[in-house]
């Protein structure tokens, strides 16, 4: 029997993104946040809109990036996301100028709903029945 380490089977591999995916996702997130903060994208629907880039999730091969965004105040979410997707090639070039990668990831912008989920969770914890169960 060989004494070298074998590769774990697929069922034993850890689920979730790799460290590389997380690191590159954070680099892309920062680059996009800088570009959107400087308003270098010229689109009427994006002018004056403050957009938060909360997370970037990359595929395993780092060629596809799903970018979670939310405009300040949560207003006009669909219009802002559509405008970002219309200008994705310009934003992709801007990311390339700021981040050196072998392949430039294809950006897909989607609305971030995690803030809604956290608000719903906070409201649940404020209910008297839930507080009573937590104390018990």
């Amino acid at each position: 029997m060989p004494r070298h380490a074998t590769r774990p089977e697929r069922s034993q591999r850890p689920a979730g993104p790799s460290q590389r995916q997380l690191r590159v996702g954070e680099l892309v997130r920062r680059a996009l946040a800088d570009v959107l903060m400087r308003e270098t994208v010229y689109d009427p629907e994006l002018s004056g809109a403050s957009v938060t880039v909360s997370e970037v999730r990359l595929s395993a091969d780092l060629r596809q990036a799903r970018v979670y965004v939310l405009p300040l105040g949560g207003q006009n979410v669909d219009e802002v996301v559509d405008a970002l997707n219309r200008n994705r090639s310009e934003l992709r070039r801007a990311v390339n100028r700021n981040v050196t990668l072998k392949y430039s990831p294809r950006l897909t912008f989607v609305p971030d709903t995690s803030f809604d989920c956290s608000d719903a969770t906070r409201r649940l914890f404020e209910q008297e029945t839930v507080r009573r169960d937590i104390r018990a």
Side-chain angles (χ1 to χ4, degrees):
M1 179 143 231
R3 302 195 105 198
H4 59 78
T6 60
R7 197 170 173 191
E9 292 183 29
R10 202 175 248 315
S11 62
Q12 295 175 347
R13 291 183 190 166
S18 68
Q19 286 297 315
R20 186 170 187 203
Q21 286 172 290
L22 293 172
R23 188 175 60 242
V24 173
E26 181 62 19
L27 290 172
V28 171
R29 186 194 70 77
R30 287 182 186 175
L32 281 169
D34 286 344
V35 168
L36 293 172
M37 183 178 64
R38 286 182 275 146
E39 296 183 18
T40 56
V41 179
Y42 302 105
D43 189 296
E45 291 183 23
L46 293 176
S47 65
S50 180
V51 180
T52 301
V53 181
S54 56
E55 184 181 4
V56 175
R57 292 185 188 168
L58 284 146
S59 62
D61 62 359
L62 306 179
R63 292 184 185 210
Q64 303 285 326
R66 179 168 281 186
V67 182
Y68 293 89
V69 296
L70 189 67
L72 187 64
Q75 298 173 352
N76 303 326
V77 175
D78 294 331
E79 292 84 6
V80 169
V81 170
D82 290 342
L84 290 169
N85 279 315
R86 269 195 315 271
N87 294 291
R88 77 175 84 202
S89 60
E90 185 179 342
L91 291 166
R92 186 178 186 180
R93 283 190 295 275
V95 168
N96 284 340
R97 285 190 296 271
N98 296 322
V99 180
T100 304
L101 298 171
K102 185 174 183 178
Y103 298 105
S104 173
R106 181 178 184 275
L107 305 174
T108 303
F109 293 91
V110 294
D112 186 6
T113 58
S114 63
F115 295 108
D116 297 335
C117 294
S118 65
D119 286 343
T121 304
R122 185 179 41 78
R123 282 193 300 274
L124 281 173
F125 280 122
E126 290 174 354
Q127 292 179 358
E128 185 55 39
T129 55
V130 174
R131 284 184 178 178
R132 185 183 63 230
D133 290 343
I134 290 173
R135 279 187 243 128

